[in-house]
Amino acid sequence: MVSAFVLWFISTTPGKNLLLSYLEDIKTSSDTASAVVVLSGGSNPYDRIKTYPEAFKRLMYGILLAKRYNIPLIFSGGGLKYNDSAQAKNDIEIIAKICNCKIKIYFENKSLNTYQNAKYTSKFFEKMKIKKDIFIVTSAYHQKRANILFRYFGFRVHSRPVNFFKERGSYVFWDFLPQMGNFYKSYKAIHEYIGIFSLYLRGIPAFSLLE
């Protein structure tokens, strides 16, 4: 009975919104940065647009920031099955050609998770002697964990989230019916909470590194 209720609740809009509320409560500022770091989010080499829709939105916003502030863009992500950086490079070349974006773009293609994103990106910045003052572009539900890890590796972080899943406004009858989309977004939120708590197993003081 309890399991059925929980399953129903996290599949509804109010349940999904409750889980995402803390994660997507993100402070942003008007500060500038030395570079933009875009975190990968999966790809499909057999599609015309290689990066997944969520990842493509991150990529587009990262390019806009890099162009607006005239700073380099670093795309961070490898992949277990396909190399996300290689796929993203294809999409970036198409976008840059169409919008005539003349920006410096680098690829970190070793990382398989957020911890490695921060670790390998840190090594790249040190090698290139780029100041560790960055915009991080990732999905809103993932922003807090990304910020913790990049701060742990010595970065000054400015949040630039996209892909907000929490809905605003009043509820209607249909919001209380279970939907697969809500279940998926609740799963993403639960995954992030587990990910944040698991950082302590690595000896990372996660909560002291939160905003």
Side-chain angles (χ1 to χ4, degrees):
M1 191 70 173
V2 174
S3 298
F5 173 79
V6 171
L7 188 61
W8 164 78
F9 184 68
I10 65 176
S11 299
T12 65
T13 302
K16 175 257 298 182
N17 283 349
L18 180 63
L19 287 170
L20 288 165
S21 183
Y22 169 72
L23 293 173
E24 295 193 354
D25 181 18
I26 302 164
K27 296 177 182 177
T28 59
S29 68
S30 58
D31 295 343
T32 58
S34 300
V36 183
V37 175
V38 176
L39 303 187
S40 66
S43 60
N44 178 5
Y46 303 104
D47 202 345
R48 292 186 182 278
I49 301 297
K50 309 300 182 184
T51 46
Y52 285 159
E54 190 175 318
F56 185 72
K57 197 170 183 179
R58 299 180 189 181
L59 193 57
M60 283 296 300
Y61 189 44
I63 291 172
L64 290 173
L65 287 171
K67 183 174 175 59
R68 177 182 177 185
Y69 293 100
N70 192 28
I71 54 179
L73 183 152
I74 295 85
F75 182 90
S76 177
L80 291 171
K81 192 171 183 180
Y82 309 118
N83 190 290
D84 287 348
S85 285
Q87 309 311 319
K89 185 176 181 182
N90 174 85
D91 292 347
I92 289 173
E93 288 173 349
I94 293 172
I95 297 165
K97 184 177 180 180
I98 292 172
C99 69
N100 193 29
C101 297
K102 295 179 181 179
I103 55 177
K104 292 181 179 178
I105 303 172
Y106 304 97
F107 296 90
E108 179 285 297
N109 60 10
K110 296 180 181 179
S111 58
L112 301 178
N113 53 49
T114 312
Y115 179 88
Q116 291 183 0
N117 285 143
K119 177 182 177 181
Y120 292 132
T121 301
S122 175
K123 290 183 177 180
F124 174 81
F125 271 63
E126 290 165 2
K127 178 182 177 181
M128 298 295 290
K129 294 181 171 51
I130 303 173
K131 186 179 179 181
K132 288 186 173 182
D133 188 356
I134 60 171
F135 294 130
I136 292 186
V137 179
T138 188
S139 297
Y141 64 83
H142 180 240
Q143 188 81 58
K144 287 186 184 292
R145 184 155 62 101
N147 288 359
I148 290 168
L149 285 164
F150 275 81
R151 287 184 181 127
Y152 178 71
F153 280 96
F155 287 90
R156 182 169 182 254
V157 172
H158 308 282
S159 302
R160 290 297 183 269
V162 293
N163 297 309
F164 284 83
F165 286 164
K166 180 183 176 182
E167 298 173 39
R168 272 69 177 175
S170 57
Y171 295 120
V172 297
F173 171 75
W174 302 107
D175 290 324
F176 295 91
L177 298 180
Q179 300 174 38
M180 184 58 71
N182 287 330
F183 181 81
Y184 169 76
K185 292 167 185 175
S186 291
Y187 156 75
K188 288 287 192 180
I190 293 169
H191 179 269
E192 286 305 308
Y193 286 118
I194 294 172
I196 290 171
F197 280 106
S198 72
L199 295 179
Y200 280 98
L201 298 178
R202 291 181 178 268
I204 299 172
F207 291 106
S208 66
L209 294 170
L210 279 169
E211 295 172 336

